[in-house]
Amino acid sequence: MRACPITLEPLADGEMFSKSGLRSLHPRLTHLEPLALGQDEQLRQARLRADKMSIQGVQPKLSAVLKPKEGCFEVVDRGGRFILKPNPPPYEEVPANEALSMTLAKHAGIEGPPHGLLPAVDGSWVYVIRRFDRAGRDDRLHVEDFAQLSGASRDTKYASSLEQVAKLLETHCSFPAVEKAALARRLLFCFLIGNEDMHLKNFSLIVEKGKVSLAPAYDFLIKRLESGSPARIRT
């Protein structure tokens, strides 16, 4: 039985996505074409556009807009409401890994943006996730990751502790007790899936309608562990 690559719901014959999966990306989306770029071109475009991306990181990514009438994504330099993540060589099934990890997080009660897998014209898969720092037609929400809040750099983003992170929540959040409980849920979930890349830039605070809270979860990945190897949490 085939499943929707966005919601994992069973699909009828001839269906590529479920109706609820399409609506999660856009309320007027009725069909979705494969991404017009194959994997090699996705990676090439990601390299060419890296300096135009407002979201940085090691993993290659592209900014995209969704055109609901045409039922397709278009890669853009600016104004994108979605992030596309192609599979980075030499690793295998990274988009599927992230899609599964984020779906499991949702079932564990962790808030995250709409996301899923998108096929490309060459048969490869791309991970797609909607940006949570955009609202309305042109509004941008204020987001700062824990590295920015603590004065850490990319080189020192692992040099912290849970106690220091909790102090950041206490200092900046509108309702610290609520956010500490939400953070604890995420930490436990990451421990269970073996996500050992919990550095300061993978957690953020967001300001929305005057309220400061934990931003929706992102960048969760299941770590493939060797037999007997413990999962490490490096926040």
Side-chain angles (χ1 to χ4, degrees):
M1 179 180 294
R2 296 171 57 248
C4 172
I6 298 175
T7 63
L8 300 183
E9 296 174 308
L11 295 174
D13 291 341
E15 287 185 330
M16 186 63 198
F17 298 92
S18 66
K19 292 181 180 179
S20 61
L22 293 173
R23 284 197 297 266
S24 72
L25 299 180
H26 194 283
R28 296 196 304 273
L29 188 64
T30 59
H31 71 287
L32 188 57
E33 299 294 329
L35 185 66
L37 306 177
Q39 182 180 359
D40 290 342
E41 183 60 19
Q42 294 166 32
L43 295 170
R44 189 179 81 86
Q45 289 294 327
R47 290 192 296 270
L48 291 175
R49 300 168 187 261
D51 61 339
K52 298 180 176 66
M53 285 288 298
S54 61
I55 299 177
Q56 301 300 316
V58 176
Q59 190 173 348
K61 54 183 70 69
L62 293 163
S63 179
V65 294
L66 175 59
K67 297 187 170 182
K69 290 184 178 180
E70 294 87 346
C72 66
F73 280 99
E74 179 183 348
V75 174
V76 295
D77 286 338
R78 297 193 187 339
R81 294 303 180 96
F82 289 84
I83 298 297
L84 305 180
K85 295 185 178 182
N87 193 83
Y91 305 104
E92 299 180 357
E93 307 296 345
V94 175
N97 185 324
E98 189 163 0
L100 175 60
S101 301
M102 292 293 292
T103 297
L104 289 174
K106 178 182 177 181
H107 286 290
I110 297 171
E111 179 188 4
H115 70 100
L117 290 173
L118 174 69
V121 290
D122 63 351
S124 63
W125 290 94
V126 185
Y127 179 68
V128 55
I129 185 167
R130 191 164 68 191
R131 295 188 63 152
F132 55 76
D133 59 346
R134 300 292 185 266
R137 181 175 290 273
D138 298 309
D139 293 340
R140 295 189 178 191
L141 302 178
H142 185 71
V143 174
E144 288 196 36
D145 62 46
F146 283 6
Q148 294 170 304
L149 292 168
S150 61
S153 67
R154 294 186 181 279
D155 295 331
T156 60
K157 62 186 180 182
Y158 288 104
S160 186
S161 67
L162 295 180
E163 290 79 8
Q164 290 174 308
V165 169
K167 288 181 180 178
L168 290 174
L169 295 180
E170 188 73 41
T171 301
H172 298 286
C173 288
S174 300
F175 303 100
V178 174
E179 305 308 329
K180 287 179 182 178
L183 179 65
R185 182 185 293 268
R186 296 188 192 191
L187 296 176
L188 177 58
F189 175 79
C190 287
F191 175 78
L192 292 175
I193 68 170
N195 176 20
E196 62 175 16
D197 198 34
M198 298 171 62
H199 56 71
L200 291 173
K201 298 195 74 65
N202 276 349
F203 295 87
S204 299
L205 298 183
I206 188 169
V207 182
E208 195 168 8
K209 296 180 180 179
K211 176 186 174 184
V212 182
S213 60
L214 271 173
Y218 57 94
D219 283 0
F220 283 177
L221 285 169
I222 296 171
K223 170 69 175 179
R224 182 181 296 175
L225 298 173
E226 297 179 357
S227 177
S229 297
R232 290 178 295 159
I233 296 181
R234 301 189 298 177
T235 298

